[in-house]
Amino acid sequence: MASLDTHFSDVEPRRAGLMSLSLAAIGVVYGDIGTSPLYAFREAMLAAGASHGGVNRADVLGVLSLIVWALILIVTLKYVIILLHADNEGEGGTLSLLALAQRAMGRSNRVVLTLGLIGAALFFGDAAITPAISVLSAIEGLKLVTDGVDPFIEPIAIVIIIGLFLVQNRGTEAVARFFGPITLVWFLVMAAGGVHWMLKDPEVLAAVNPIHAIRFVATNGQLGLIVLGAVFLAVTGAEALYADMGHFGRKPIQVAWLFVAFPALLLTYFGQGALVLSNPEAMANPFYHLFPSWALLPVVVLATMATIIASQAVITGAFSLTQQAVQLRMMPRMKIRHTSDEHQGQIYLPAVNRWLMFGVLALVVIFGSSSSLASAYGISVTGTMVVTATLAMIVAHKHWKMPLWLAVGMMLPLLLLDLTFLGANLMKIGDGGYVPLGIAAVMFVIMASWMRGNTIVLSKDREAELPLDVLLGQIDKSESIATVSGTAVFLTSTPDLAPAALLHSLKHFKALHEQNVILTIVTEDIPRIPTSERVQIEEINDRFRRIKLRYGYAEEPDVPRALLQCRRQGWKFDIMATSFILSRRRIRLSTRSRVPSWQGKLFIALARNAAGASDYFRIPAGRVVEIGTQMNI
């Protein structure tokens, strides 16, 4: 949604639409950052050396100032003001920014592509940690409600997480309508708890002065960097602002942040600061101590719902990112299920859901508490932010046509800030930071190996296959090829070459259909292609035609539906009289392979477990004929 003005024609409907979208954005976009107050201030103060026995006012003001200015500079300035304008046809996120940068440069650039892969890989590390730390931090509030609950914290969290992942295949449409109102109530409750304590010690508002943040970092040396790593927990989830732009549009996300999320977060953190100054014993869990004892259980329940919503947003983001990576041929095809007939974007990927659930449960069991997980949290997010800032610099110069000095001058200070936070978080590698880095490394190797293997396969195809015009010339001269009634569609990624399935069909059956289609499916570097521009038909001769189907990287191919559009262009298509002839390639590792043995074996394993072309392109199974071929790489 580049602009809400295109959807609403008069002032009142436009305002109503903006408000409803802003409410929805509060639930989905800000669920993650909205649960950060459960643990961010506590972990930052503990890193600064605070204890249950006493806290230092200068440290409290320093930590609060760091949190306030992190929210101002990283979330408000970088994302809400600058990056929300770096949209790719209304879409945001790392891969959208990568596609936009590649298109702006006019060519594929290996460095830019690598940056995009790193950003996407780091997101999966974040996606595994967010549900674990969010749910654990919410359930830990039960310790303040009743004694003896400590042994049950981890089992309760495990049950909630398993339930969350098991309902993914049912879709989130029915639940999502409650996300916004519940999260809005959550923000209002947090703000109310913060205001109560802030009014008892208004001097905490002095933390708005950045001098306190600068002084704290300057006077504490290495400890200041360690605290910076913990402070960053307050802005985790900021990347969702950008990634979810395609769902809600720029204005609703900005309104939701500036008028709800941002003020509520500031009040909550100020309240926690005032609380620990008056009652150092509250350092054990300053968030829940904001509230009177009678309100603890309702707040724990509300916090649990808020963390489930935050986890749902990350899981949905993992589905969307994986779909985009598949479309951009960065990952193998996967089985995708639609959970809504009305909303195309609501999808479910069983493989991603399964592995993500195992990863989240493993983190809960291994770390056991939100404090332990806090050490693992932050590295993947800061890494993604560094990638985003770098790509944004390229987009500002190449796409927005800014002078190089202006593009660098605008983004470099923010990039340096991201690098500072990344450096601070890298100090936590030994305490658990290796977990998201390990997940990201595995995902990067998978994507890089898949792309390299695909490049070699495509090169081999070009070496082995005949040019299509040469084959058609041989067919015209041959008298031994029989004619079969009906239409045959041959899928290929190289429309100028004869598809392997066509060559093998002629070799084994000595027959050719009355009508033959060479079908190529192309994924463009924009999110969506207008339906009117989906199909391109080229008549080759009276028996052959070449058809190209164009899709955006945020769309899912539906071959039968797209081919029905050919009727408007003069080609009468009857799917019940059509055979889709596909090539099922068996890949083997050559002794003279161009890739290391381990990478070749990984690519082969990925290829064998990839979803079949017929499932992925929604071709009716009863109309598919697969012909096996073998290739050595």
Side-chain angles (χ1 to χ4, degrees):
M1 298 178 193
S3 173
L4 288 169
D5 295 350
T6 58
H7 296 272
F8 303 95
S9 56
D10 57 335
V11 176
E12 289 306 319
R14 181 164 65 247
R15 184 176 300 149
L18 178 59
M19 290 301 103
S20 62
L21 284 171
S22 298
L23 179 61
I26 289 171
V28 176
V29 177
Y30 296 111
D32 190 358
I33 198 171
T35 56
S36 295
L38 286 166
Y39 48 81
F41 179 77
R42 177 192 69 200
E43 296 304 320
M45 286 301 300
L46 292 177
S51 66
H52 302 172
V55 295
N56 182 286
R57 177 173 287 269
D59 288 347
V60 171
L61 291 178
V63 168
L64 281 177
S65 188
L66 286 169
I67 290 175
V68 168
W69 282 96
L71 291 170
I72 291 173
L73 294 176
I74 293 179
V75 185
T76 309
L77 178 60
K78 178 185 173 183
Y79 282 94
V80 174
I81 295 178
I82 297 176
L83 278 179
L84 284 184
H85 288 85
D87 65 296
N88 189 351
E89 304 288 339
E91 290 287 333
T94 303
L95 292 184
S96 289
L97 193 60
L98 167 65
L100 185 61
Q102 295 274 43
R103 190 167 83 242
M105 297 178 73
R107 56 186 172 82
S108 179
N109 182 283
R110 181 170 293 185
V111 174
V112 173
L113 178 61
T114 302
L115 279 173
L117 288 178
I118 291 173
L122 287 168
F123 177 85
F124 287 102
D126 180 38
I129 293 180
T130 295
I133 190 172
S134 297
V135 173
L136 275 173
S137 61
I139 302 301
E140 284 167 355
L142 290 173
K143 296 178 184 179
L144 304 178
V145 177
T146 179
D147 296 328
V149 76
D150 195 55
F152 302 100
I153 297 295
E154 192 174 312
I156 293 173
I158 289 173
V159 169
I160 290 174
I161 289 168
I162 291 176
L164 175 64
F165 280 97
L166 288 181
V167 300
Q168 292 302 312
N169 63 344
R170 299 178 180 271
T172 59
E173 184 177 5
V175 183
R177 68 187 63 177
F178 300 107
F179 282 7
I182 291 173
T183 312
L184 177 60
V185 172
W186 168 248
F187 276 120
L188 294 176
V189 169
M190 284 198 302
V195 167
H196 171 75
W197 287 98
M198 186 184 71
L199 292 177
K200 292 187 175 184
D201 190 351
E203 290 184 15
V204 293
L205 292 174
V208 173
N209 188 341
I211 293 297
H212 291 285
I214 296 170
R215 184 184 295 135
F216 181 87
V217 175
T219 57
N220 283 283
Q222 185 176 355
L223 178 64
L225 282 177
I226 294 174
V227 174
L228 269 180
V231 164
F232 192 81
L233 295 171
V235 297
T236 53
E239 193 71 19
L241 287 170
Y242 186 42
D244 289 323
M245 179 163 52
H247 295 288
F248 303 100
R250 182 186 304 122
K251 287 184 180 178
I253 291 176
Q254 292 174 329
V255 168
W257 173 254
L258 294 173
F259 293 99
V260 178
F262 187 35
L265 290 172
L266 288 180
L267 292 172
T268 305
Y269 287 122
F270 283 135
Q272 290 185 52
L275 168 65
V276 298
L277 284 173
S278 63
N279 180 18
E281 294 294 326
M283 271 304 307
N285 202 322
F287 176 81
Y288 282 115
H289 278 103
L290 290 176
F291 305 96
S293 56
W294 60 265
L296 277 178
L297 185 58
V299 172
V300 170
V301 173
L302 183 61
T304 303
M305 290 191 290
T307 54
I308 290 173
I309 291 170
S311 302
Q312 178 63 60
V314 172
I315 295 168
T316 303
F319 291 162
S320 299
L321 183 73
T322 304
Q323 180 199 11
Q324 291 183 15
V326 170
Q327 281 289 76
L328 293 170
R329 298 188 178 180
M330 295 178 177
M331 295 180 73
R333 289 190 298 261
M334 295 187 187
K335 185 176 292 184
I336 298 176
R337 296 180 188 170
H338 289 263
T339 58
S340 171
D341 294 330
E342 290 79 23
H343 303 285
Q344 185 179 7
Q346 293 197 12
I347 56 175
Y348 167 66
L349 282 76
V352 175
N353 191 68
R354 180 172 59 252
W355 287 107
L356 196 55
M357 181 180 71
F358 290 153
V360 173
L361 291 175
L363 289 174
V364 170
V365 172
I366 293 170
F367 288 90
S369 71
S370 61
S371 288
S372 299
L373 264 171
S375 297
Y377 206 25
I379 291 181
S380 55
V381 184
T382 49
T384 304
M385 288 183 173
V386 168
V387 170
T388 303
T390 306
L391 291 176
M393 201 180 299
I394 297 171
V395 169
H397 175 50
K398 295 290 187 179
H399 182 65
W400 293 347
K401 306 301 181 185
M402 279 187 178
L404 181 60
W405 65 268
L406 183 57
V408 172
M410 179 179 68
M411 293 306 303
L412 185 59
L414 297 173
L415 175 60
L416 292 176
L417 181 61
D418 289 337
L419 287 170
T420 302
F421 276 114
L422 177 60
N425 277 279
L426 287 174
M427 298 176 69
K428 301 190 294 185
I429 287 181
D431 297 326
Y434 58 85
V435 172
L437 287 181
I439 296 172
V442 169
M443 294 307 303
F444 181 85
V445 168
I446 287 174
M447 290 189 288
S449 299
W450 180 255
M451 293 180 71
R452 188 174 184 186
N454 266 337
T455 301
I456 294 173
V457 167
L458 188 61
S459 174
K460 289 276 187 179
D461 279 342
R462 290 199 168 273
E463 292 173 5
E465 293 183 357
L466 279 174
L468 184 60
D469 54 354
V470 172
L471 177 65
L472 296 184
Q474 294 176 356
I475 291 174
D476 288 339
K477 297 175 183 178
S478 175
E479 298 179 357
S480 60
I481 298 177
T483 298
V484 181
S485 61
T487 301
V489 177
F490 299 91
L491 267 69
T492 179
S493 58
T494 51
D496 56 326
L497 301 177
L502 174 58
L503 293 174
H504 284 271
S505 179
L506 289 170
K507 176 181 176 181
H508 292 288
F509 306 132
K510 303 294 190 298
L512 197 64
H513 285 71
E514 290 176 328
Q515 294 295 318
N516 299 273
V517 174
I518 309 300
L519 178 63
T520 305
I521 299 172
V522 178
T523 301
E524 305 288 359
D525 57 5
I526 58 176
R528 292 174 182 82
I529 298 294
T531 304
S532 59
E533 300 175 15
R534 176 88 64 214
V535 179
Q536 296 177 3
I537 302 178
E538 176 191 350
E539 300 286 345
I540 301 175
N541 57 34
D542 58 347
R543 297 185 67 180
F544 278 84
R545 56 177 49 86
R546 194 184 276 120
I547 295 180
K548 179 196 287 187
L549 301 183
R550 301 170 64 233
Y551 288 91
Y553 60 78
E555 295 179 298
E556 296 166 59
D558 187 335
V559 170
R561 177 180 292 181
L563 290 181
L564 288 175
Q565 293 180 233
C566 296
R567 297 175 182 272
R568 302 172 188 171
Q569 301 186 32
W571 178 47
K572 302 303 181 184
F573 171 74
D574 180 7
I575 194 169
M576 299 312 296
T578 301
S579 297
F580 292 85
I581 304 180
L582 313 180
S583 174
R584 178 171 284 274
R585 188 183 283 114
R586 183 185 179 190
I587 302 173
R588 299 178 62 182
L589 195 61
S590 169
T591 55
R592 293 181 295 177
S593 177
R594 304 181 199 174
V595 297
S597 175
W598 67 267
Q599 195 171 41
K601 291 177 180 177
L602 175 59
F603 174 72
I604 292 171
L606 293 171
R608 286 177 179 170
N609 288 281
S614 57
D615 290 336
Y616 184 74
F617 296 124
R618 300 195 190 182
I619 302 172
R623 309 308 308 168
V624 174
V625 177
E626 291 188 341
I627 298 178
T629 62
Q630 182 171 298
M631 174 184 288
N632 294 325
I633 63 168

